Amino acid sequence: MTNKKLAYIILILFCFSCKSNTEEKQNNTYSDVVSVAAMKDVMWKGELFSKIKLDTIKPKNGLYGLGPETYLRGEIVINNGKTYVSRVLTDSTMAVNEISNAEAPFFVYANVTEWSKIKLPSSVKSIKDLESFIDNNTKSQKRPFVFKLDGRISAATIHIQNLPKGTKVSSPKEAHQGQINYQLESEDVEIIGFFSTEHQGIFTHHDSFLHMHLISKDKTKMGHLDDVAFNEMSLLLPKS
């Protein structure tokens, strides 16, 4: 074998190794939760392109997940194996569609088929209250984890990312250009959320242990949950 051929083979093996290492860093499994890429890389590095095709995730049974749509053109939630994407139509209207082959620049997901269900106490009135309640009542549980809320909200604010095409992003402020907020009142909803005390900037924001997307029971409204006043709600946690 000539030195030239040997060098070529070494180069190919090196490139393959780099690719494998990159893919390993992109997909991280934490107990029962899988995180793909990172929120901070989207917000600060402008990595808006697809890091995962959601129709490749298996199995679908009991699958829950959330993240933004590629290029920050919408919001995504997977609710028990069904993938929904919301996109802005106007300042007051949105479109919510079931799109199995949606793609995301970062995403978090988990499979849960058995839940423990408790009534959310009336003392839990806000997202901060919910964060404290979940944290205090899951100290012995494997973390991070997915959870659900099911019931009625008195009011809520959700947003949908709507980044103008061609926009370059190098900060959270730039990433939220075009974002539209929507107000909900007296809605029956499901809220899919992920809890972690160790993944701020990965799949939760820097100032929160929660990342939640809300979808109305009639599937006409869906987005990232920013604010909420809970009414009659049940909290579902994965069975240990």
Side-chain angles (χ1 to χ4, degrees), residues 116-167:
S116 296
K117 185 176 181 179
I118 59 174
K119 184 177 180 180
L120 197 67
S122 58
S123 59
V124 178
K125 301 180 183 301
S126 66
I127 289 177
K128 277 298 181 185
D129 292 341
L130 177 67
E131 181 179 270
S132 296
F133 180 79
I134 290 177
D135 190 20
N136 292 332
N137 286 275
T138 60
K139 297 293 187 184
S140 61
Q141 189 162 330
K142 288 191 296 183
R143 296 179 170 185
F145 55 82
V146 63
F147 64 91
K148 289 178 62 177
L149 289 160
D150 189 356
R152 192 168 185 81
I153 52 97
S154 296
T157 301
I158 61 175
H159 77 245
I160 299 175
Q161 296 278 31
N162 188 38
L163 192 70
K165 289 182 179 179
T167 302

Side-chain angles (χ1 to χ4, degrees), residues 30-206:
Y30 311 98
S31 184
D32 299 322
V33 171
V34 180
S35 172
V36 179
M39 181 187 296
K40 61 185 179 182
D41 291 338
V42 175
M43 300 295 180
W44 291 104
K45 297 181 181 179
E47 295 182 3
L48 310 176
F49 49 88
S50 175
K51 297 290 183 67
I52 182 171
K53 297 180 179 180
L54 302 187
D55 58 357
T56 65
I57 303 175
K58 308 293 182 190
K60 300 296 184 189
N61 185 36
L63 179 62
Y64 298 87
L66 53 82
E69 190 179 20
T70 302
Y71 296 102
L72 303 184
R73 298 291 296 168
E75 303 290 340
I76 303 172
V77 68
I78 300 179
N79 188 6
N80 198 18
K82 293 186 177 181
T83 302
Y84 299 94
V85 179
S86 61
R87 295 174 182 146
V88 170
L89 293 180
T90 70
D91 288 352
S92 59
T93 61
M94 68 180 74
V96 180
N97 295 293
E98 189 175 342
I99 303 175
S100 62
N101 62 347
E103 300 181 26
F106 76 88
F107 205 74
V108 59
Y109 65 91
N111 288 83
V112 177
T113 55
E114 292 187 278
W115 300 92
S116 296
K117 185 176 181 179
I118 59 174
K119 184 177 180 180
L120 197 67
S122 58
S123 59
V124 178
K125 301 180 183 301
S126 66
I127 289 177
K128 277 298 181 185
D129 292 341
L130 177 67
E131 181 179 270
S132 296
F133 180 79
I134 290 177
D135 190 20
N136 292 332
N137 286 275
T138 60
K139 297 293 187 184
S140 61
Q141 189 162 330
K142 288 191 296 183
R143 296 179 170 185
F145 55 82
V146 63
F147 64 91
K148 289 178 62 177
L149 289 160
D150 189 356
R152 192 168 185 81
I153 52 97
S154 296
T157 301
I158 61 175
H159 77 245
I160 299 175
Q161 296 278 31
N162 188 38
L163 192 70
K165 289 182 179 179
T167 302
K168 303 296 182 183
V169 168
S170 59
S171 71
K173 182 178 180 180
E174 291 176 351
H176 288 89
Q177 293 177 76
Q179 173 184 303
I180 300 297
N181 297 330
Y182 297 90
Q183 307 302 318
L184 282 65
E185 292 185 1
S186 301
E187 286 273 357
D188 293 320
V189 304
E190 290 179 280
I191 298 169
I192 309 302
F194 284 79
F195 175 90
S196 178
T197 59
E198 299 180 356
H199 295 93
Q200 292 169 309
I202 306 300
F203 56 80
T204 71
H205 286 285
H206 71 280

